[in-house]
Amino acid sequence: MKALRNFLDKVKPSFEEGGKLAMFRSVFEGFETFLFVPDTTAKRGAHIHDCIDSKRVMSMVVIALIPALLFGIYNVGYQHYLVTGQEMDSCGIISYGLACVLPKIVVSYAVGLGIEFIVAQWKKEEIQEGFLVSGLLIPMIVPASCPLWMLAVATAFAVIFAKEVFGGTGMNIFNVALITRAFLFFAYPSAMSGDSVWIGTEEIFGLGGATNVVDSFTGATVLGQVGVAQGVATPVLTNAVGGQLSVMDMFIGLIPGSIGETSKIAILIGAVILLFTGIASWKTMFSVFVGGALTAFLFNQIGTTPIMNLPWYEHLLLGGFCFGAVFMATDPVTSSRTECGKYVFGFLVGMFAIVIRVLNPGYPEGMMLAILLMNLFAPLVDYFVVQANINRRLKRVKK
Amino acid sequence: MSLFSKNNQETFFNPLSSSNPVTVQVLGICSALAVTAQLKPAIVMGLSVTVIMSMSNVIISLLRKTIPNRIRIIVQLVVCAALVTIVSEVLKAFAYDISVQLSVYVGLIITNCILMGRLEAFAMQNGPWESFLDGVGNGLGYAIILVIVAFFRELLGAGCLLGFSVIPQCVYDCGYLNNGLMLMPPMALILVACIIWVHRSLNKDLQEK
C-alpha cells in the first residue's frame, strides 16, 4: 500500500497542467482517488462533511451487486445446459456463464467510462464516479443473448443523453442503466423481448453451443408465459424445458430472465448490505414492496385475466421487481429526497409496475417503465412534501 | 433599392442558419416530429410549407395597408387556409400516396407557428419582394431541418433512403438490426436537439450566457 502511494506521488507531477501526460490528467486522478481517499475536501457548497465520499458509496453498491452477478453468471450457464440437454457439469456451466456475461461487462464499462473520460477531459473536470454502478447494472438487466454492439450503442446513448447533457453524475433525471434498457427495449424489440432471447443457445468462444436443443424448449420468462395465456386462470408455470416451477424455484432463481434479476436470494444479500451500510433507503425499498403487493392483491380480487390471478407474492418474486426495488428505485439521485417523499415514490413505483404488467398486454414486465415514470415525478413529490411542511409551520406561526 | 441588396440577401439567408425557425426559434416542432419518419414525406412537407409561406407572405404584404388592425389575424388565417387547401388538393391530385402519408399534417400547416409568425412579424411591415424572400428563406430553413432529421431517421430506422434500401444485406447478416426507436416521434425530438447542439457549438453568438 505504501509503495503504491509512493509510486502515485512520484508520477503525479507529469499528469498535472503542463506535464507530459496532461491529457490523461482526469484518468490519473480518477484512478488515484479510486485507490485512496483524496486529501482535498469540498471548497464550497457542501455543508455536511462525511468521511465516506461518493466513490466509496459507489464501491459499496458494486459489492452489493456481486452476489446477484455471480448467480446470474451461474444461471446463464445453467439455462444453457438445460435447454441444450447436455449433461450438467459445474465447470462448464460457470465457464459458459462467464463467456456470456464478462464481455457484456467489459463493453458496458469500456463504452461508458470512455465517454466519461472524454467528457471529463474536455470540460476539465474530475472524472465522475457514477458510472461505476451503472456500468455493472447495465449487463445485469439485459437478456443473456443481447448482442454486444447493441449494448455498446445503448450505453453510449444513455450516458450521453440521459447523463452528460444534464451535467453528469448527480444531475441526471433518469436512472442511466434503465435508460439503456429502455433504449434497447424500444429500438430492438426483437432482441429484448419475446421467447427466444432469455437463454443463450449460441456458442460463445467455443464454449457450449446448441448441438441438440431439446424439443420442448420454450424460453419464455414466467411473466411472458402468464402474459400470453388464454382464459381466466393462471397457467401452470414452467421452466425452459417444461418442468413445473414452484414458488421456491422463483425465490432461488434458476429461471429464465435478465442476467441479474432472477435470484431473489442474491438480491436479498445485496439489499442487506445496502441497508446495513445505510446507502439505500429502507423507506423506498419497503414501500415499493408494499405498493406492489397491495396493487397485485387488488387485482387478485378482480381476477378476470391470467395475470390478474397471479398471486401477489409471485408478482413480487417474478421478473425484475426485486432487482428494481433494491438497486434502482433506491438510486439516491433519481428518487425522491424528502423522507416522506420516499414512501410516496416507492409506493407509486410498486403500484405502477404491477399496473403496467397487468393492464398492458404489450409489456409483460413493468418495473423498468414504472421506475422511469416515477423518476420523472420524484421532484414533484418532493415539492409537495416540502410545501406541506412549509404550510404546517406557517399555521403554527399564525396561531 | 436593388432586388438583391445586402438587406434582401440577409432576409433570405438568415433563416437558413442564424435565425433558423426550427433550431433557433424552436417553432414548427410538432410537424417536424410527425412527418420525418421517412425522407419523401419530409421533402414534400418542406416544399409545401415553403410554397405556402412565400405566397401567403406576398399576399399579406400586398394587403398590409388595407387590413384593419383588429381583424388582421383572421385575414391572415383566411389567406393561409385558402393556400393550404390549394396545396392539399394539388398533392391529392398528383402525389396521392404521399398525401395519404402526410394525412392531416398538410391541413395542419395552417397552424404552423412559423407561418403565422412570419406573417405577423415580417409581411405586415415589409414590401412584397422582401416578404417573398423571407417566406422562401424560412420555408427552406424549415425544410432543411426536416430533411436532415428524416435522413437519419429513415437511414437508421428502416435502413432505407427515399424508400430504397441502402444498407447492404451482408451487414444484416452480421447481426445488424434497424433501430426501431428511430421511427418513433421521441427520437425526432432528440435528433432536433442534436442539430441544435451542433448548430450552437458552431455559432458562438447563438449561445446563451
Side-chain angles (χ1 to χ4, degrees), chain A residues 253-329:
Chain A
L254 287 173
I255 53 176
S258 296
I259 293 169
E261 72 175 17
T262 57
S263 171
K264 308 300 145 357
I265 298 178
I267 294 171
L268 198 65
I269 298 171
V272 169
I273 296 175
L274 286 183
L275 292 179
F276 184 72
T277 53
I279 286 166
S281 156
W282 67 268
K283 292 172 184 164
T284 316
M285 225 184 267
F286 174 72
S287 51
V288 173
F289 284 105
V290 171
L294 277 181
T295 316
F297 184 73
L298 215 67
F299 279 122
N300 285 169
Q301 305 310 310
I302 303 171
T304 51
T305 59
I307 190 135
M308 278 189 190
N309 278 325
L310 192 70
W312 60 271
Y313 48 88
E314 289 186 13
H315 257 302
L316 302 192
L317 288 177
L318 289 172
F321 195 94
C322 289
F323 193 82
V326 172
F327 294 111
M328 303 209 154

Side-chain angles (χ1 to χ4, degrees), chain B residues 53-188:
Chain B
M53 186 128 52
S54 51
M55 287 169 72
S56 64
N57 255 7
V58 171
I59 295 172
I60 292 296
S61 167
L62 287 171
L63 296 174
R64 70 184 188 279
K65 297 206 172 106
T66 52
I67 299 174
N69 202 29
R70 296 166 93 181
I71 58 161
R72 64 184 196 285
I73 301 281
I74 298 174
V75 175
Q76 289 163 10
L77 270 177
V78 170
V79 172
C80 290
L83 288 167
V84 166
T85 313
I86 293 171
V87 167
S88 170
E89 294 300 319
V90 169
L91 281 182
K92 270 185 196 147
F94 297 104
Y96 184 71
D97 294 342
I98 292 178
S99 82
V100 170
Q101 255 178 328
L102 288 172
S103 66
V104 298
Y105 290 100
V106 174
L108 284 178
I109 292 177
I110 191 172
T111 60
N112 194 316
C113 350
I114 306 171
L115 200 62
M116 297 304 284
R118 292 329 291 173
L119 292 179
E120 192 54 15
F122 199 90
M124 289 297 284
Q125 281 91 37
N126 291 282
W129 173 244
E130 286 89 347
S131 300
F132 175 75
L133 287 179
D134 180 77
V136 176
N138 275 290
L140 289 180
Y142 171 79
I144 290 173
I145 304 302
L146 247 62
V147 167
I148 297 175
V149 173
F151 174 82
F152 285 110
R153 282 183 75 187
E154 191 174 0
L155 180 67
L156 299 174
C160 303
L161 284 177
L162 289 170
F164 300 104
S165 83
V166 289
I167 293 178
Q169 186 58 37
C170 60
V171 179
Y172 287 107
D173 292 340
C174 297
Y176 177 79
L177 279 179
N178 287 324
N179 189 325
L181 195 60
M182 278 287 170
L183 297 178
M184 297 185 196
M187 213 52 199

